[in-house]
Amino acid sequence: MASSFSSKIGVLLAAAGSAIGLGSIWKFPYEVGENGGGAFLLLYIICSLLFGLPLVMNEFLVGKLSGKSAFGAYRELSGSNKWQWMSWTNVICVAAVMSFYFVVTGWCIYYMVEAGAGAFEGMGAEQLREHFEAFEGKTLTMIIYAIIGIVMTGAVLWFDVNKGIERLSKILMPILFVILIAMAIHMMFIPGGLKGLHYLFHPDFSKITSKVILEAMGLSFFTLSVGVGALVTYGGYMPKDQNVTSTSIQMIVMVLIVSVLAAMIVFPAVFAYGFSPAEGPELTFVTLPDVFQNMVSPRITCTFFFALMCVAALTSTISLMEVMVAFICEASEKTKHPLNRHKSVLLVMLLQIVTNTLVVLSMTGEWGWLKVMGNNLFDVLNDAVSNYLMPLGALGISLYTGWFVPKARYQGSRVASVVYLVMLRWIVPLAIVIIFVNNFI
């Protein structure tokens, strides 16, 4: 690929931004709440380091060694098409993710605008729930806000990697950390907030079950963005002298810090005002706005929180769409009409407008036939990505790099140590297979 990052910090911030999305800010807090607090947090950290680290290193490694995106990397390294199914798994997975991810991004943008306008002031929990349900029924509004997210992402990708993704990552990631830290500190000092921190950091090991362990493992894969090809593509943009191992460790540490900071915002607020930490997905769009109404400067606090959500969503959509853009550019290279970056970006944007519109129509009931076994496309795609496509991609990358990539190509990075290879060849695949089996039970 002709494009590349111009600095090591650019790679790190862009990769961290890819992983630090709604998984860390939205999904992680409610998963912790549903699975018992501190014990789940501990399991999540262990799974991220034990299973997530080898997978992140593998994806970076495949991209860096091949110099290709997720589409061409496996064919380049293997010298054949035998592992091309991995490329298609990544492409299909990222296409499925984007088909509903922009819908959620649109929710975040809408709620930031609403919070800034003071729309939630004076509302109680029931009114906020009705407000969210009413918004979910506004077909045109949801489509417009999803398109706003698509256009914002496409505008970044219009430029070369170093002028678009890298430059914006250097701006957005510090902003994200500043907002997170400021809000976390603020929440620590609200009356009763320490109860939430006790729930988060005091592990109750009686809460640990086989289901909780599997949830922690699956969440670690989701929040680290493994199995979708984004890290492979970013690895292809890496400077040649960048160390894969240290970059992977630094990225995971950043993801863990952001996830914990997000939880430090949510749980002090939830406990301080007597709400349940196990509210599930509604925690972000119903419970937290209700909590913020009880605080000093509710409009400012609520607006900042949803601005944080928007930044997190955008850093992820950029990496996801880049996988598709790079795929189209590479796939069309040997055709009679190769597509340049600008044409590829426009094509992906158009495709996303179509797919996200279909998802919204299936959610709002406008087109009732857009359902699978009674489920709307949002739920079907979300389930397929989290439970099947991402684990399948992670399993493939683990087996491929563990068994088939020549160890001489690891360039002395020590990733070919005995412990690492045992993890890569046996432990990580076994863990992923267990997750697969559990999804079918």
Side-chain angles (χ1 to χ4, degrees):
M1 292 184 291
S3 299
S4 64
F5 290 109
S6 62
S7 64
K8 296 178 182 179
I9 188 65
V11 179
L12 176 60
L13 292 176
S18 170
I20 298 169
L22 295 179
S24 294
I25 311 295
W26 170 53
K27 190 170 184 177
F28 176 77
Y30 83 71
E31 287 270 10
V32 172
E34 288 183 332
N35 291 285
F40 182 82
L41 172 62
L42 183 61
L43 284 173
Y44 167 76
I45 293 173
I46 292 172
C47 288
S48 295
L49 296 174
L50 192 63
F51 303 115
L53 178 58
L55 291 170
V56 170
M57 290 170 63
N58 287 345
E59 293 210 19
F60 276 144
L61 189 66
V62 167
K64 185 181 179 184
L65 292 179
S66 66
K68 298 287 185 180
S69 73
F71 178 72
Y74 304 97
R75 182 169 52 201
E76 178 72 18
L77 287 182
S78 62
S80 71
N81 289 322
K82 281 195 269 186
W83 284 86
Q84 194 61 15
W85 67 270
M86 274 292 301
S87 298
W88 286 110
T89 298
N90 287 160
V91 170
I92 292 170
C93 184
V94 80
V97 173
M98 285 195 297
S99 295
F100 68 87
Y101 206 91
F102 281 110
V103 175
V104 183
T105 302
W107 294 352
C108 297
I109 298 171
Y110 174 81
Y111 262 67
M112 180 183 69
V113 173
E114 289 279 278
F120 306 135
E121 292 181 6
M123 287 189 182
E126 192 57 38
Q127 290 172 303
L128 285 163
R129 183 173 285 104
E130 291 173 359
H131 182 82
F132 183 65
E133 290 172 354
F135 170 57
E136 285 187 307
K138 296 177 180 178
T139 304
L140 183 59
T141 303
M142 288 183 67
I143 291 173
I144 289 172
Y145 276 93
I147 291 175
I148 290 173
I150 293 169
V151 172
M152 291 171 65
T153 304
V156 175
L157 297 183
W158 188 259
F159 302 96
D160 287 339
V161 170
N162 61 329
K163 293 180 181 178
I165 298 174
E166 183 174 0
R167 183 176 294 175
L168 194 68
S169 295
K170 290 179 178 179
I171 297 171
L172 289 184
M173 290 306 294
I175 290 174
L176 184 143
F177 271 96
V178 168
I179 297 176
L180 270 172
I181 294 170
M183 290 196 71
I185 293 173
H186 175 64
M187 294 300 183
M188 288 173 61
F189 292 99
I190 63 174
L194 290 179
K195 293 179 182 178
L197 295 180
H198 182 269
Y199 175 82
L200 179 62
F201 293 117
H202 181 75
D204 179 358
F205 294 107
S206 66
K207 301 286 187 181
I208 297 179
T209 64
S210 58
K211 179 180 179 298
V212 170
I213 294 173
L214 290 172
E215 289 283 348
M217 197 184 307
L219 183 63
S220 69
F221 292 166
F222 188 90
T223 55
L224 293 175
S225 194
V226 296
V228 298
L231 301 183
V232 174
T233 300
Y234 279 4
Y237 298 147
M238 272 187 177
K240 295 301 181 184
D241 61 343
Q242 183 141 2
N243 186 281
V244 167
T245 304
S246 61
T247 302
S248 301
I249 293 172
Q250 290 164 5
M251 184 199 117
I252 289 177
V253 169
M254 289 179 70
V255 174
L256 292 176
I257 290 173
V258 167
S259 298
V260 171
L261 283 172
M264 288 175 65
I265 293 171
V266 172
F267 292 113
V270 167
F271 274 83
Y273 296 102
F275 291 89
S276 169
E279 289 287 338
E282 287 189 351
L283 189 65
T284 300
F285 296 101
V286 176
T287 306
L288 285 179
D290 191 15
V291 169
F292 294 145
Q293 302 313 305
N294 297 294
M295 300 175 65
V296 177
S297 303
R299 182 186 297 193
I300 294 174
T301 305
C302 198
T303 303
F304 265 86
F305 178 77
F306 285 107
L308 171 68
M309 294 282 290
C310 289
V311 171
L314 188 59
T315 58
S316 287
T317 57
I318 288 169
S319 67
L320 292 170
M321 191 180 282
E322 176 62 23
V323 174
M324 292 297 294
V325 170
F327 156 64
I328 292 173
C329 287
E330 284 189 12
S332 67
E333 278 179 355
K334 296 181 180 180
T335 65
K336 292 182 179 179
H337 304 285
L339 298 177
N340 61 23
R341 184 172 189 85
H342 291 170
K343 291 179 181 178
S344 298
V345 169
L346 289 174
L347 179 58
V348 175
M349 288 174 62
L350 179 61
L351 290 172
Q352 289 313 306
I353 289 172
V354 172
T355 57
N356 280 269
T357 297
L358 292 175
V359 168
V360 170
L361 290 171
S362 75
M363 292 173 66
T364 57
E366 292 287 332
W367 290 1
W369 55 271
L370 281 174
K371 293 185 182 293
V372 179
M373 299 180 66
N375 297 313
N376 62 53
L377 294 181
F378 184 100
D379 293 334
V380 170
L381 290 169
N382 189 20
D383 180 68
V385 168
S386 299
N387 296 328
Y388 306 105
L389 292 175
M390 288 184 75
L392 180 62
L395 178 63
I397 193 79
S398 181
L399 294 175
Y400 178 72
T401 51
W403 291 98
F404 298 99
V405 175
K407 301 304 168 285
R409 302 196 69 173
Y410 286 134
Q411 300 174 338
S413 61
R414 290 194 173 185
V415 295
S417 66
V418 173
V419 174
Y420 180 83
L421 283 179
V422 169
M423 286 294 301
L424 196 59
R425 290 178 170 181
W426 302 104
I427 307 301
V428 173
L430 178 62
I432 297 171
V433 169
I434 291 173
I435 292 177
F436 263 126
V437 172
N438 182 68
N439 289 331
F440 286 100
I441 296 176

